[in-house]
Amino acid sequence: MSPTTLSLLATVDTPDIQDRTSFWRWDFAFEIFPQMLTSFLQVTLLVTAVGTLIAAVLGLIIAILQRVLPKPLSVLLTWIANFIRMTPIVVQLLILFYGFVWMDPLTIALIVYGVHYSTYMSEVYRAGIESVPRGQWEATTALSMAPGRTWRRVIIPQALRSTVPSLGNYAISMFKDTPFLISISLMEMVNTALEVGGFTYRYIEAITIAGVIFLVASYVTAILVNRLEKRLAYAH
């Protein structure tokens, strides 16, 4: 068990037989909620936030390189990205966990989730880049704009406007994939809920709290993504 889970269980009394047969106990739910929220903030949210940042930046780099590299290198990069995307994320977690035993599980999680989802986001960026009208590319050529400035000032801003909703959806998908972290002994919120249930024989409260936290966080993220999309559309 993780230190967080051990500290949580130390504060929870083992229920008697009557407590085990009752469907829901509000006092028990309120008792474990702070520790469940701590588990969410320390692992689940951290992996999602940092993983999304890595995926968003790396995905954009992959999409640009696929377009500017010579064809043989572009094909190779595309093949590697497809291989990573089509391999289950739990398999990638286990390969790094057992192959790089000196690495911290949290570091492994950040690398795997960031790289794995960057391959999805690269496809979103690629579609956004291809949606930029051909006339925009021709205009930058006519103005003799440097390639770097063309990407920064013309192509990327226009591509981002159409990619924000999909990028947000992948961030939410990453958030919901964090329970796979149990495969590398990293206790995130859902697995903490299962350990609490196994210790106290009360699963309903712990799992329900985990589900509600997931729901609230996903809903808030969806609202923020929608507002960002509207702001970008208004700016356009």
Side-chain angles (χ1 to χ4, degrees):
M1 295 184 184
S2 66
T4 301
T5 305
L6 289 173
S7 63
L8 185 158
L9 297 180
T11 64
V12 178
D13 296 328
T14 304
D16 55 28
I17 297 299
Q18 183 178 3
D19 288 335
R20 297 178 192 176
T21 57
S22 60
F23 180 75
W24 181 273
R25 282 180 49 199
W26 282 106
D27 60 328
F28 179 71
F30 284 119
E31 185 179 1
I32 66 173
F33 177 77
Q35 290 84 356
M36 292 287 296
L37 187 60
T38 298
S39 177
F40 166 74
L41 295 173
Q42 289 181 344
V43 178
T44 305
L45 185 61
L46 176 63
V47 170
T48 303
V50 178
T52 299
L53 179 61
I54 294 172
V57 174
L58 184 58
L60 180 59
I61 293 173
I62 293 173
I64 294 174
L65 290 178
Q66 286 176 324
R67 190 174 183 97
V68 302
L69 286 177
K71 189 171 182 62
L73 293 178
S74 177
V75 170
L76 176 61
L77 180 60
T78 300
W79 185 89
I80 294 174
N82 289 337
F83 178 81
I84 294 174
R85 183 168 58 251
M86 295 176 185
T87 306
I89 194 169
V90 66
V91 173
Q92 297 170 11
L93 287 168
L94 290 172
I95 289 175
L96 264 68
F97 183 67
Y98 290 109
F100 300 87
V101 294
W102 61 88
M103 292 181 64
D104 180 77
L106 182 58
T107 303
I108 292 174
L110 296 176
I111 293 173
V112 170
Y113 277 77
V115 173
H116 183 84
Y117 273 92
S118 72
T119 61
Y120 288 97
M121 292 188 179
S122 68
E123 288 298 299
V124 176
Y125 285 126
R126 182 183 60 81
I129 291 170
E130 291 181 353
S131 69
V132 176
R134 185 177 181 83
Q136 298 289 324
W137 296 90
E138 294 174 347
T140 59
T141 302
L143 294 173
S144 300
M145 292 181 66
R149 188 179 182 189
T150 297
W151 283 101
R152 290 194 311 270
R153 302 296 297 274
V154 180
I155 306 303
I156 292 178
Q158 294 186 64
L160 286 179
R161 294 190 182 100
S162 60
T163 60
V164 167
S166 296
L167 295 178
N169 288 336
Y170 281 125
I172 294 174
S173 295
M174 185 189 303
F175 178 56
K176 294 188 291 185
D177 276 351
T178 52
F180 287 126
L181 294 174
I182 185 60
S183 62
I184 59 172
S185 303
L186 191 59
M187 298 303 297
E188 51 74 60
M189 183 175 57
V190 172
N191 299 306
T192 298
L194 293 176
E195 283 204 350
V196 171
F199 180 80
T200 62
Y201 303 99
R202 299 203 60 86
Y203 287 92
I204 295 297
E205 292 89 347
I207 294 176
T208 300
I209 290 172
V212 170
I213 293 176
F214 265 113
L215 175 62
V216 172
S218 298
Y219 183 69
V220 170
T221 302
I223 292 176
L224 293 176
V225 170
N226 184 51
R227 288 185 176 179
L228 179 59
E229 180 186 6
K230 290 181 178 179
R231 178 171 296 183
L232 290 175
Y234 178 77
H236 177 68

